[in-house]
Every structure is written in structure tokens, then in C-alpha cells.
Amino acid sequence: MAADRPCFPTSIHRSTPNTIRLNRALRMTRRDALLGAFGAAVVVTGSGQGMAATAEEDTVIPLFLALSQRLTDRDTLDPRIGHALYAGIIHAVPERRDQIQKLHDFMTGGNFASARALASAAEHQDPVFKDVIQDIMTGWYRGLADHKVVVYRSALMFDITKDAIYPKTYATGGPFYWTQTPPEVAVPTGEPALSPSKLVIEPT
């Protein structure tokens, strides 16, 4: 009877064995889909509550974000990246939490016209502030904290040159585009705000 015949796609005779096996492997039952969705919802809800609790309990996070905006001379920064960078910095050096708070108090207690002015005055006030500032700037511009990559494409070092160079995993120029002479760039005239630091070669 027609009702007893298995229902196959009309194109099955044109499918290769590998295609058939792949389709079977990718096929999910309704039960698998429901269990997967439920598990993902539990994980997301739990992690979201954990992040929210951490953000609410640690009162230094808003101070870290305010410091970051002043040091980068930006009106807005992504708070999600800020939370991740802060967590990495504090995990690497727990003393940074109190140092960030003290640096924020120093910032609010003075009148600094620029990030350079704040950084220079902070180092003269307390040499440890130099390390705090470098951790903050390394986090935002390089996307690194606790010797780990927190962000890549959202790192501010790419934002500076995004009109000409943007991080991609493929070349966007024509053949041998790198052999052409790049456009000239004006020589920077600014001076560093902090004293020189020891050169550290990171492993690749």
C-alpha cells in the first residue's frame, strides 16, 4: 500500500553517500532541539545573573569606566568590554582594585584638561599609578588583560586606523598591493606622558 511506503526526497537518487550521511548527522529530533534550547536558556540566564551580581557588588567598576573614558579621551566606551577588562586586570593583580579607586579619587580631585595631563600628574603623585594606567590603556587599546585576549576587533588600536586599515582575516587589496608605496603620514609631534618603561618581548 502507498501508506506503508517510506517517504524519501525526490532527489535522493542524485545524492551521494557522503551527502546522505551528512544529512543524517545534522538531523535533530524535536526532543534534542527542546533539550538544547532549554540548556542554553539556563546557561545564559545563570551567567547573566552572575555578571549582573558582580557588576552590582563591585562599586569600583563604574570608577574604572570613568577612568577609562578620561584616559582614552572618549565620551563613551562599551561597558561590556570594560567589565571584562576590569575582571582580567583585577584577576592578574588584585591590588589594582584599590589602586584604581585611588587613581579615580586623584582624577576627581584635580582639574585635568587631557589624558596626558592626568597621566603625567598621576605618575608624579604615586609611581604605582603608572602601572595602573598602563594596564588600563593596554586593555582598551590592545584588548589584553591578565595576559589573555579579551577583545580583538573592538580594541581601540584598530579604531584609530579603521579609515585605512581594519583587522580582517583576508586581503582586500589587488594582487601585490603591498608592493605599492603607502600614503605618507605626518610625523607625530606629541610627547609621552609617562616615563619610559622596560621593553618586554611577549612570546608568540
Side-chain angles (χ1 to χ4, degrees), residues 8-9 59 68 74 85 104 112 136 148 153 156 196 202:
F8 295 103
T59 57
S68 299
R74 293 173 182 269
L85 293 175
H104 180 270
F112 305 102
I136 295 174
K148 298 179 179 64
R153 295 189 64 166
L156 296 185
E202 298 179 352

Side-chain angles (χ1 to χ4, degrees), residues 113-162:
S114 65
R116 183 181 184 279
L118 170 60
S120 180
E123 183 182 6
H124 283 85
Q125 175 70 17
D126 188 345
V128 76
F129 285 160
K130 173 184 175 182
D131 298 328
V132 179
I133 293 172
Q134 287 183 333
D135 283 351
I136 295 174
M137 300 299 280
T138 299
W140 284 105
Y141 278 92
R142 299 185 61 189
L144 300 177
D146 193 16
H147 304 288
K148 298 179 179 64
V149 177
V150 177
V151 293
Y152 174 62
R153 295 189 64 166
S154 297
L156 296 185
M157 65 177 177
F158 295 127
D159 187 65
I160 297 175
T161 58
K162 65 182 180 181

